[in-house]
Amino acid sequence: MSLTTRCHSFDVFDTCLVRTWARPQDMFHALARRLLSRNGNAPTPDMIHDFVRERVEAERRARRTMPGHREDIELRDIYAAYPSPPPFGIAPDEIMQAELDMERECLRPIPAMREEMAALRRQGARIVYVSDMFLPESFVADRLREHGFLESGDRVYVSGTRGETKHTGNLFRRVLYDLGLAPGNLLHTGDNPHTDVAVPRSLGIRARHATDAILTGPEQAMLPTDGRTSLTCSALAGAARLARLSPGVDGTDFPAARVAADVAGPAVAGFVAWVLDKAREQGIKRLWFVARDGQIMHKTARELLGGEKGPECRYLYGSRQAWFLPSITEFSPETTEWLVIPGHCSRPASIVAKLDCTPEEIEDAAGIRPGPEFWETRLCNGDRDRLAALLRTSGVRRLVEAKARDARQRLVAYLEQEGVVPGKPVTLVDVGWTLKAQQALGRVLKAAGMDCPVSGFYFGVSQSALTASRAGAYQAYFLERDAWFDRTEPMNFLFRNANFVEQVMTAATHGQTTGYARDDEGRMQPVLRPDARTTEDLNAVCDMQARVLAFTRQARASGALDNPDAARNATLAALRKFLSDPNPDMARAVADRPVFDDQNETRRRVLARPVSLSLLARLAMQEAGFSRFLPDSDYGASFDWIEGAIALSPRWMRPLLRSPRMFQQLKTYRKSL
């Protein structure tokens, strides 16, 4: 910003201050609900509609009867135009004071703009605030002072009080005249492209468009599209915006954190609020949030409870890698169906690693040595049979069962230490999808003679969860078969992007749990896989979690999560918008987040990268039947999120990639690696 500028002027609303409601008009509905509920009776929708209509009509009447020499009205003019006798028996002065009170309560600062002004003051710049607004100038000044903007010597110009507007340019002319400024010595910043950019520029004033408070795609998606007003949806979108605008950890602003505020915040907080509500309703006394996906869920639950009475929330270190092996009581195809999963790494060395075995251990136990090349080559039909033959040998069966028995003893000791009591139910909270982890834990507890019924609350459960009937009771926030999803597409937008949900949206600050071991004091401790992420990656995860918690605090304060069904619909709309139709900036914000393909984190790739011409050529050759001439694809050079990859691709390529035929080819390619 140029240091030659003598004065900086700023718009106020949606530039310096922002409301907790996503849309200003929604505040009138909240005001109606507050005033009409004072007698203890809940107002009907018709009553709220009539109240808001009277407020809007009063403002229209005030503007129609405004004196010719004035360009704007004040709040008192609006309430002077109320009919007599007043509707609902509430005096206009009382409603006006309630509106001022609500404005005061719902206004929040935009931290980045406040920091910018502090920097300008250090450079000796003069600050002026200019707003087209009917609220009294003294009220606006008080709010700016309250939130750390207004300081001694600053000037405030509000159209309703001054009788001149930015829209006509006269309020800007008033500022220039009062301060003795030439137009070129004033730089104005505001969110409205006409009154804050086009009008001042037409007067020779330099202008800058402030876009931070403008609702993003996911925030807009949470709001009803049929013209209705939903205070829940407006408060959720407003909470997402406030979390997005909140300062980052240690002052660092990670782009991915904005996605956390807009997408992860509503999804995680909405899910956890639903879980707590269901747990209270069903009399569940304790919830176990399973690592690592459960870390941010556990923190969110504690934030939502805020010391209030509710189920006890505990964090349980666990994972597929730590629970599947101990669940084997007899090594058989039925107990090891999780070893080879389509779309996961199929190198035999990676498969036996799920059994905590090395290729050398398997060879020694089986008495068969297929050689190093076998272990490092992706399975084909013949190799699949050779691996099955290896694993069927009695020596391998004894090896695996012994490892499973030892791992089970350590897991049971950890569970008992953490409060799992024989005969008492264990209720898990996790992302979900297949329920295999719940089934595995149930087998472990049954084998240990603890007879603990295991159930769970899950963010999503897929139709392909064939173990569901054997896993025990469960409840899902989203079911793949629900009417929310396209039943003609088995892998719809949410379940197809499960890696985004569990490895980006609910990313944790620690490595994967691979097992358990006793420490020097005899306590069982989780054994965590060394975390290969950089310090910057971990800081980004901390910032993402901070934004989720910032959303949770704001949503709790505004009551945005009090209606679980409305919150779930809004959450799904935000997820759909982001995952199915991301803009390039939002896709770029999380594109480099790493995702892994299976439980032992064998292979890693980024969430999204642009589709290359070489990939297009490969897809064309595959469709033409020339796959045998193509080299093996590099998993690490591919991507996980198809829609994100399309958004990052050149503009000319996107319509082609979004065509049903090409999109299906990309899905097939993604699953084949």
Side-chain angles (χ1 to χ4, degrees):
M1 191 172 297
S2 173
L3 296 180
T4 62
T5 301
R6 293 176 53 189
C7 185
H8 292 257
S9 64
F10 291 87
D11 174 49
V12 176
F13 296 92
D14 290 340
T15 300
C16 299
L17 302 175
V18 66
R19 293 178 177 90
T20 56
W21 306 106
R23 298 174 299 197
Q25 63 267 31
D26 294 337
M27 195 192 72
F28 296 151
H29 290 261
L31 179 65
R33 188 180 299 276
R34 171 179 294 185
L35 289 174
L36 298 176
S37 300
R38 291 186 307 178
N39 59 3
N41 297 321
T44 66
D46 286 343
M47 291 171 66
I48 293 174
H49 176 269
D50 290 344
F51 183 99
V52 173
R53 185 189 60 197
E54 289 290 351
R55 168 60 178 79
V56 172
E57 286 299 322
E59 182 170 345
R60 287 176 180 165
R61 285 193 294 271
R63 293 191 182 280
R64 285 197 302 267
T65 59
M66 181 173 60
H69 66 279
R70 293 186 59 85
E71 296 176 353
D72 205 358
I73 58 173
E74 285 192 284
L75 186 64
R76 64 184 179 183
D77 299 321
I78 296 173
Y79 284 97
Y82 255 63
S84 182
F88 306 103
I90 306 174
D93 286 349
E94 188 178 353
I95 303 175
M96 181 174 70
Q97 185 57 52
E99 181 172 338
L100 288 171
D101 291 342
M102 181 158 282
E103 285 278 11
R104 183 184 300 108
E105 293 169 14
C106 75
L107 286 172
R108 300 290 185 275
I110 297 178
M113 194 61 71
R114 189 168 53 190
E115 292 171 9
E116 179 180 317
M117 289 184 199
L120 288 172
R121 293 182 197 281
R122 289 193 293 269
Q123 297 169 3
R126 187 169 189 181
I127 305 297
V128 179
Y129 299 94
V130 188
S131 177
D132 276 354
M133 170 54 66
F134 51 74
L135 293 173
E137 192 169 277
S138 59
F139 179 88
V140 174
D142 287 344
R143 303 289 74 73
L144 289 168
R145 186 178 299 107
E146 175 186 354
H147 292 292
F149 287 95
L150 190 67
E151 295 189 5
S152 177
D154 295 347
R155 301 284 290 271
V156 179
Y157 291 81
V158 176
S159 61
T161 300
R162 302 279 177 166
E164 298 169 321
T165 66
K166 290 188 297 184
H167 184 81
T168 64
N170 287 332
L171 195 56
F172 286 116
R173 294 185 181 96
R174 168 62 60 185
V175 172
L176 295 174
Y177 177 81
D178 285 356
L179 301 183
L181 291 173
N185 286 333
L186 178 64
L187 174 60
H188 180 72
T189 300
D191 69 293
N192 190 296
H194 178 70
T195 60
D196 290 315
V197 180
V199 171
R201 284 179 179 172
S202 71
L203 300 175
I205 298 170
R206 290 182 293 158
R208 184 169 60 113
H209 194 199
T211 60
D212 286 352
I214 296 174
L215 296 176
T216 64
E219 291 163 5
Q220 286 276 9
M222 288 188 235
L223 301 173
T225 58
D226 58 1
R228 293 181 299 108
T229 293
S230 167
L231 293 182
T232 294
C233 294
S234 182
L236 283 168
R241 175 171 59 184
L242 286 167
R244 173 171 56 83
L245 296 173
S246 65
V249 175
D250 297 327
T252 304
D253 186 18
F254 293 94
R258 300 172 190 174
V259 174
D262 278 358
V263 182
V268 172
F271 168 60
V272 173
W274 173 81
V275 169
L276 295 176
D277 186 62
K278 291 291 184 183
R280 291 189 188 99
E281 179 183 301
Q282 297 165 25
I284 296 172
K285 303 301 183 183
R286 180 179 292 172
L287 296 169
W288 302 90
F289 291 77
V290 183
R292 288 173 294 179
D293 309 337
Q295 185 187 55
I296 185 57
M297 297 177 186
H298 181 242
K299 293 179 180 179
T300 300
R302 295 175 65 180
E303 189 72 52
L304 285 173
L305 288 172
E308 295 179 2
K309 186 177 180 180
E312 179 188 3
C313 296
R314 293 197 177 186
Y315 189 54
L316 190 66
Y317 283 92
S319 70
R320 292 169 293 179
Q321 184 68 11
W323 289 1
F324 282 8
L325 175 61
S327 72
I328 297 175
T329 54
E330 180 181 356
F331 189 51
S332 67
E334 290 74 25
T335 61
T336 56
E337 59 186 358
W338 43 268
L339 276 179
V340 181
I341 299 176
H344 287 193
C345 182
S346 63
R347 289 188 307 116
S350 298
I351 292 171
V352 299
K354 298 179 182 180
L355 299 169
D356 196 24
C357 293
T358 65
E360 292 75 18
E361 286 179 302
I362 297 293
E363 290 178 345
D364 290 344
I368 303 172
R369 303 188 182 279
E373 185 177 344
F374 165 77
W375 292 107
E376 298 301 326
T377 304
R378 286 198 309 177
L379 290 176
C380 59
N381 290 334
D383 291 332
R384 195 180 302 274
D385 293 339
R386 293 172 68 191
L387 178 62
L390 273 173
L391 298 181
R392 280 197 301 266
T393 62
S394 59
V396 170
R397 185 172 65 252
R398 287 193 297 270
L399 170 68
V400 172
E401 289 176 356
K403 283 181 174 286
R405 185 168 52 252
D406 291 343
R408 186 162 56 250
Q409 290 173 351
R410 293 192 293 273
L411 172 55
V412 170
Y414 169 74
L415 294 172
E416 290 178 328
Q417 170 188 291
E418 296 303 305
V420 175
V421 178
K424 298 291 185 180
V426 175
T427 306
L428 306 177
V429 182
D430 203 354
V431 165
W433 311 125
T434 66
L435 307 188
K436 287 187 172 69
Q438 178 177 315
Q439 182 184 21
L441 186 62
R443 285 174 173 170
V444 168
L445 294 171
K446 182 177 180 181
M450 298 184 72
D451 295 323
C452 298
V454 181
S455 61
F457 290 104
Y458 298 102
F459 184 76
V461 172
S462 171
Q463 277 183 293
S464 59
L466 301 180
T467 61
S469 60
R470 291 173 280 158
Y474 72 93
Q475 296 174 71
Y477 197 50
F478 294 121
L479 281 170
E480 191 176 15
R481 66 174 179 268
D482 279 348
W484 284 310
F485 303 109
D486 183 357
R487 300 188 185 191
T488 64
E489 185 189 357
M491 293 291 285
N492 60 67
F493 78 94
L494 179 61
F495 291 83
R496 186 178 65 246
N497 290 301
N499 280 341
F500 168 79
V501 175
E502 65 183 63
Q503 298 183 44
V504 179
M505 191 176 89
T506 58
T509 56
H510 62 77
Q512 181 193 41
T513 305
T514 60
Y516 309 89
R518 290 195 182 276
D519 62 17
D520 294 339
E521 298 178 356
R523 287 184 59 81
M524 297 301 298
Q525 300 291 349
V527 177
L528 303 180
R529 188 184 302 279
D531 204 325
R533 290 174 293 184
T534 65
T535 300
E536 184 177 3
D537 282 339
L538 288 173
N539 287 342
V541 171
C542 290
D543 198 11
M544 292 175 72
Q545 290 195 353
R547 301 301 175 101
V548 172
L549 296 177
F551 171 88
T552 304
R553 284 189 291 273
Q554 179 56 50
R556 179 174 181 263
S558 64
L561 300 172
D562 293 347
N563 185 334
D565 289 338
R568 178 163 47 186
N569 289 338
T571 288
L572 185 66
L575 281 166
R576 185 190 300 275
K577 176 63 180 176
F578 175 74
L579 290 173
S580 298
D581 186 26
N583 66 43
D585 287 341
M586 295 200 81
R588 196 174 295 112
V590 293
D592 63 347
R593 297 296 91 196
V595 294
F596 301 90
D597 72 325
D598 63 15
Q599 70 183 52
N600 53 17
E601 300 187 348
T602 304
R603 301 185 299 177
R604 165 178 170 161
R605 63 183 174 186
V606 296
L607 186 66
R609 56 163 46 95
V611 176
S612 64
L613 291 174
S614 61
L615 176 56
L616 286 180
R618 182 184 188 90
L619 296 177
M621 291 186 68
Q622 287 177 342
E623 188 176 31
F626 297 112
S627 298
R628 64 185 182 277
F629 299 111
L630 296 171
D632 287 341
S633 297
D634 179 4
Y635 182 88
S638 63
F639 51 81
D640 199 78
W641 178 26
I642 298 174
E643 293 91 334
I646 294 173
L648 295 175
S649 298
R651 188 182 298 272
W652 64 266
M653 194 186 289
R654 294 173 202 165
L656 169 67
L657 298 175
R658 290 193 182 105
S659 67
R661 183 174 179 179
M662 182 60 71
F663 196 84
Q664 183 60 46
Q665 286 184 318
L666 288 170
K667 286 198 295 184
T668 302
Y669 164 77
R670 172 184 173 274
K671 291 178 64 178
S672 68
L673 298 176

